[in-house]
């Protein structure tokens, strides 16, 4: 199981596609920094194409900084910095997508 963190906005479609194609059953995806923009419902179609049992997260501070906390897609669970650390400890490895 891996935790994938993505900091790129959805406009960087190639990075998003590579990240999503690398996900496997039991992995988690955490959107951070400008990556939280990909948690908006307008980008939901990207996540519907993932053929694995994945959990989706978005970092609270980055959602708040961009005024997106109440606008994210419901499939995303919001975590704070402590939750980020917990996720990193719960997974075998962390893969960062830039």
């Amino acid at each position: 199981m891996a935790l994938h963190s993505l900091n790129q906005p959805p406009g960087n479609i190639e990075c998003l596609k590579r990240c999503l194609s690398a996900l496997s059953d039991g992995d988690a995806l955490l959107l951070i920094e400008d990556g939280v923009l990909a948690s908006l419902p307008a980008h939901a179609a990207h996540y519907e194409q993932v053929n694995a049992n994945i959990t989706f997260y978005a970092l609270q501070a980055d959602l708040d900084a961009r005024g997106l906390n109440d606008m994210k897609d419901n499939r995303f669970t919001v975590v704070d910095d402590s939750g980020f650390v917990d996720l990193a400890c719960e997974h075998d490895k962390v893969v960062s997508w830039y």
Side-chain angles (χ1 to χ4, degrees):
M1 292 187 331
L3 172 63
H4 297 259
S5 66
L6 175 67
N7 77 338
Q8 293 296 303
N12 187 344
I13 193 68
E14 290 306 315
C15 185
L16 179 60
K17 285 181 180 180
R18 285 192 316 270
C19 174
L20 294 177
S21 69
L23 298 172
S24 300
D25 281 340
D27 286 354
L29 173 62
L30 173 64
L31 301 180
I32 61 172
E33 300 170 1
D34 283 340
V36 298
L37 296 169
S39 71
L40 294 174
H43 304 290
H46 295 293
Y47 305 105
E48 293 166 2
Q49 298 173 11
V50 175
N51 294 322
N53 184 20
I54 305 301
T55 51
F56 297 96
Y57 299 93
L59 193 62
Q60 177 80 54
D62 293 328
L63 288 168
D64 289 344
R66 290 156 183 82
L68 301 176
N69 195 31
D70 295 331
M71 300 169 61
K72 66 171 182 46
D73 186 272
N74 290 333
R75 77 187 77 218
F76 286 88
T77 300
V78 176
V79 295
D80 58 12
D81 290 337
S82 177
F84 187 168
V85 172
D86 291 342
L87 287 170
C89 291
E90 292 168 7
H91 291 82
D92 299 331
K93 61 183 174 179
V94 177
V95 179
S96 299
W97 295 88
Y98 296 98

